């Protein structure tokens, strides 16, 4: 049973159910989850429609925002009409899709490699950074899983031409890119398909499917999102220029190298196994389709990194598209170690999970922020606009369940700034007094505890 990938995927699911109902207070990217949860809650509350995702950080405006395709948030919001709104439901959606992606990953690569190779590659994928992000209210691992499902059905369609497989391939490839356009480097699988099946029976016209799957993502990210940003004024992050990105990354070569080596598996042994897999592949004459597709992937991934610039280094989930590729290479390396394979796998898994496990635990240091719900329920009308010194992290504004401004420590101490946002409708200031003293000169204290003071602005 230990050699069965299904057993480990099931265990992966069970482990992630522990604490799945926790609010977004974990160490890594609670801010990113808070943004998504705001969107889901606005769908739940009926404040907006599907094509107009809305956050609570309105800054006096509507809160409608250009972002990734909000299907997961919409699903979360609408399911909440039956089960009640809770972050755990959003986590569960991501987790279930991520687990399906693991099954399809194994089935996909099993078409081309040995059972042992596929098994170790899947386990590596499972304990990579995919482990930590697969139960966050973020679309990244779900997008990766969906795109892998699309790749699986593409090869089914490519070999047999069945209408069902053609439809599913287009659906999942399109949806994977819509959920997160950072999946685009994996489009290099088309090069692999063309070269690997060059002398084999195939339905060549099916290669149009991955090309056509680019169209929905193009329309969403390069037509609709800029329209939302231009109309409603909220951010839409399309990255910077490639030259600026290159300048940023080349000025931090050691940071970039550490990011690429450490973060895929949250350790160094996994990356070393990947390099050993490349060495083994080179010495054993792997088909040229692998090398050509790998080069195309690296070109596309490099372009994505350059476009992202500094964000690529500071956000470790940006590395996710690289993970299945490294897992496949490292799986080849581990499978070739024979009787030592389980030992090598155990070392990699121990290092990786040891560096991620804390993120699945209750974060006592951040739990005090949950008191914001009580403060809001008791003292702030549901439609009143508020400001809070979240310092660009929307987490506390999410816990308030009120709309308004996310300001910095300095801004909440500046009377001219606070008067300006009061003129735009801001009625209350919630000040985290762990960060700065309560600015009592701005208004009357309505409520106060050891962590927060609530002021009604004068």
């Amino acid at each position: 049973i230990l050699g069965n990938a299904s057993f480990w995927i099931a265990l992966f699911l069970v482990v992630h159910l522990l604490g799945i109902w926790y609010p977004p207070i974990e160490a890594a990217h609670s801010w990113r989850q808070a943004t998504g949860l705001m969107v889901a809650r606005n769908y739940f509350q009926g404040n907006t429609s599907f094509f107009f995702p809305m956050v609570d950080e309105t800054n006096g405006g509507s809160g409608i925002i250009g972002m990734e395709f909000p299907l997961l948030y919409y699903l979360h919001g609408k399911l909440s009409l039956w089960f009640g709104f809770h972050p755990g439901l959003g986590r569960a959606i991501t987790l279930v899709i991520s687990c399906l992606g693991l099954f399809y990953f194994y089935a996909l690569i099993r078409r081309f490699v040995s059972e042992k190779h596929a098994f170790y590659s899947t386990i590596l994928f499972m304990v990579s950074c995919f482990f930590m992000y697969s139960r966050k209210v973020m679309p990244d691992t779900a997008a990766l899983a969906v795109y892998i499902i699309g790749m699986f059905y593409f090869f089914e369609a490519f070999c047999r031409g069945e209408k069902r497989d053609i439809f599913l391939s287009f659906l999942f490839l399109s949806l994977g890119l819509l959920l997160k356009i950072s999946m685009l480097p994996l489009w290099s699988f088309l090069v692999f398909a063309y070269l690997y099946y060059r002398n084999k029976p195939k339905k060549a016209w099916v290669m149009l499917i991955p090309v056509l799957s680019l169209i929905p993502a193009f329309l969403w990210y390069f037509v609709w999102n800029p329209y939302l940003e231009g109309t409603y004024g909220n951010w839409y992050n399309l990255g910077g220029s490639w030259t600026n990105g290159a300048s940023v990354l080349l000025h931090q070569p050691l940071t970039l190298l550490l990011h690429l080596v450490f973060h895929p598996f949250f350790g160094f042994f996994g990356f070393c196994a990947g390099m050993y897999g490349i060495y083994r592949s080179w010495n054993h004459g792997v088909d040229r389709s692998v090398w050509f597709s790998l080069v195309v992937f690296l070109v596309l991934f490099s372009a994505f990194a350059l476009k992202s610039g500094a964000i690529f280094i500071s956000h470790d989930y940006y590395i996710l598209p690289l993970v299945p590729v490294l897992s496949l290479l490292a799986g080849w390396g581990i499978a070739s170690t024979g009787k030592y394979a389980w030992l090598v796998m155990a070392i990699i898994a121990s290092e990786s999970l040891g560096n991620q496990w804390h993120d699945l635990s209750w974060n006592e240091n951040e739990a005090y922020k949950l008191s914001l719900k009580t403060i809001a329920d008791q003292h702030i009308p549901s439609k009143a606009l508020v400001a809070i010194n979240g310092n660009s992290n929307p987490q506390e504004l999410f816990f308030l369940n009120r709309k308004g401004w996310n300001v910095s420590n300095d801004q909440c101490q500046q009377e001219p700034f606070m008067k300006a946002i009061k003129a735009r409708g801001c009625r209350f200031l919630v000040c985290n007094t762990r960060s700065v003293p309560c600015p009592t000169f701005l208004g009357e204290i309505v409520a106060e505890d050891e962590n927060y003071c609530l002021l009604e602005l004068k």
Side-chain angles (χ1 to χ4, degrees):
I1 190 172
L2 296 180
N4 188 324
S6 297
F7 167 78
W8 292 103
I9 296 172
L11 182 61
F12 178 93
L13 173 64
V14 171
V15 166
H16 282 77
L17 292 177
L18 303 174
I20 196 170
W21 227 241
Y22 288 163
I25 57 173
E26 61 262 50
H29 300 295
S30 57
W31 66 271
R32 185 66 184 82
Q33 295 186 87
T35 299
L37 285 165
M38 286 178 177
V39 176
R41 188 168 60 194
N42 277 298
Y43 284 134
F44 165 65
Q45 295 172 343
N47 296 331
T48 189
S49 58
F50 179 81
F51 289 100
F52 297 87
M54 177 187 290
V55 294
D56 295 340
E57 192 175 342
T58 62
N59 297 311
S62 67
I64 293 172
I65 190 169
M67 64 186 308
E68 66 267 3
F69 196 63
L71 178 62
L72 299 182
Y73 306 136
Y74 186 80
L75 181 62
H76 181 185
K78 295 309 175 184
L79 285 176
S80 297
L81 295 174
W82 294 349
F83 303 105
F85 185 83
H86 196 283
L89 184 56
R91 292 181 186 273
I93 292 170
T94 304
L95 176 60
V96 169
I97 296 173
S98 299
C99 288
L100 284 175
L102 291 171
F103 277 111
Y104 274 93
F105 177 74
Y106 177 84
L108 172 64
I109 63 176
R110 184 65 185 89
R111 300 175 68 105
F112 309 105
V113 302
S114 68
E115 183 176 354
K116 183 182 290 187
H117 184 175
F119 172 78
Y120 286 116
S121 296
T122 304
I123 301 300
L124 282 163
F125 190 15
M126 201 181 305
V127 302
S128 71
C129 60
F130 189 86
F131 178 88
M132 185 169 72
Y133 287 105
S134 60
R135 85 157 198 194
K136 292 183 182 290
V137 189
M138 296 168 57
D140 300 80
T141 60
L144 180 54
V146 168
Y147 202 79
I148 288 171
I149 295 171
M151 291 166 62
F152 173 84
Y153 284 113
F154 167 82
F155 283 104
E156 292 288 300
F158 196 48
C159 295
R160 300 185 303 181
E162 297 288 339
K163 291 181 180 179
R164 170 181 170 274
D165 296 327
I166 293 168
F167 170 76
L168 291 174
S169 175
F170 175 76
L171 174 66
F172 287 113
L173 289 176
S174 299
L175 186 55
L177 288 174
L178 278 167
L179 289 174
K180 201 75 179 183
I181 200 170
S182 58
M183 298 304 119
L184 186 59
L186 293 173
W187 196 77
S188 57
F189 80 88
L190 192 59
V191 176
F192 171 79
Y194 174 78
L195 293 175
Y196 185 84
Y197 286 93
R198 59 190 179 275
N199 297 318
K200 300 176 182 179
K202 56 185 175 293
K203 308 294 182 181
W205 61 270
V206 172
M207 295 188 72
L208 287 173
I209 294 174
V211 178
L212 295 175
S213 72
L214 299 175
I215 296 174
F218 173 83
L219 293 175
W220 179 263
Y221 286 99
F222 300 99
V223 178
W224 185 246
N225 266 350
Y227 166 76
L228 292 180
E229 181 190 34
T231 304
Y232 299 99
N234 258 351
W235 60 263
Y236 165 54
N237 179 24
L238 195 57
S241 68
W242 280 288
T243 53
N244 286 341
S247 175
V248 170
L249 297 182
L250 291 176
H251 278 83
Q252 304 179 67
L254 294 180
T255 303
L256 176 61
L257 180 62
L258 180 63
H259 181 55
L260 293 170
V261 171
F262 181 80
H263 281 135
F265 296 98
F266 273 92
F268 298 102
F269 289 114
F271 188 85
C272 291
M275 296 303 98
Y276 181 63
I278 291 177
Y279 168 77
R280 293 281 301 181
S281 301
W282 184 269
N283 282 352
H284 286 74
V286 171
D287 189 83
R288 64 181 180 177
S289 58
V290 174
W291 298 115
F292 276 99
S293 58
L294 182 59
V295 168
V296 173
F297 171 85
L298 291 175
V299 169
L300 293 174
F301 188 73
S302 299
F304 163 66
L306 292 174
K307 191 71 174 169
S308 303
I311 296 178
F312 178 79
I313 297 178
S314 58
H315 294 65
D316 47 46
Y317 59 87
Y318 273 46
I319 213 83
L320 273 167
L322 179 62
V323 169
V325 177
L326 279 177
S327 297
L328 187 58
L329 293 168
W332 170 253
I334 292 176
S336 66
T337 61
K339 63 181 181 180
Y340 298 105
W342 273 102
L343 177 60
V344 175
M345 186 68 251
I347 292 172
I348 294 172
S350 296
E351 181 187 33
S352 183
L353 298 182
N355 286 323
Q356 296 182 75
W357 198 261
H358 69 281
D359 206 62
L360 272 64
S361 305
W362 180 261
N363 189 350
E364 190 63 38
N365 292 331
E366 293 286 293
Y368 76 93
K369 295 178 180 179
L370 301 179
S371 66
L372 286 167
K373 181 181 186 304
T374 302
I375 293 173
D377 290 347
Q378 292 180 353
H379 303 287
I380 304 176
S382 60
K383 299 298 183 181
L385 296 181
V386 303
I388 188 166
N389 57 326
N391 295 293
S392 79
N393 187 339
Q395 180 192 43
E396 289 171 291
L397 190 59
F398 166 73
F399 290 137
L400 277 174
N401 193 11
R402 298 296 186 271
K403 290 179 167 51
W405 286 259
N406 181 8
V407 301
S408 69
N409 288 338
D410 288 338
Q411 287 173 327
C412 79
Q413 301 284 314
Q414 295 172 10
E415 190 169 3
F417 175 83
M418 295 305 300
K419 283 186 174 180
I421 65 172
K422 183 178 185 296
R424 299 180 63 189
C426 185
R427 183 177 167 188
F428 294 94
L429 169 66
V430 182
C431 179
N432 185 329
T433 53
R434 288 191 173 197
S435 302
V436 291
C438 184
T440 53
F441 59 89
L442 292 174
E444 178 185 352
I445 296 179
V446 177
E448 190 172 18
D449 62 21
E450 64 271 23
N451 301 306
Y452 294 99
C453 73
L454 172 63
L455 296 174
E456 185 166 5
L457 298 175
K458 63 183 179 180

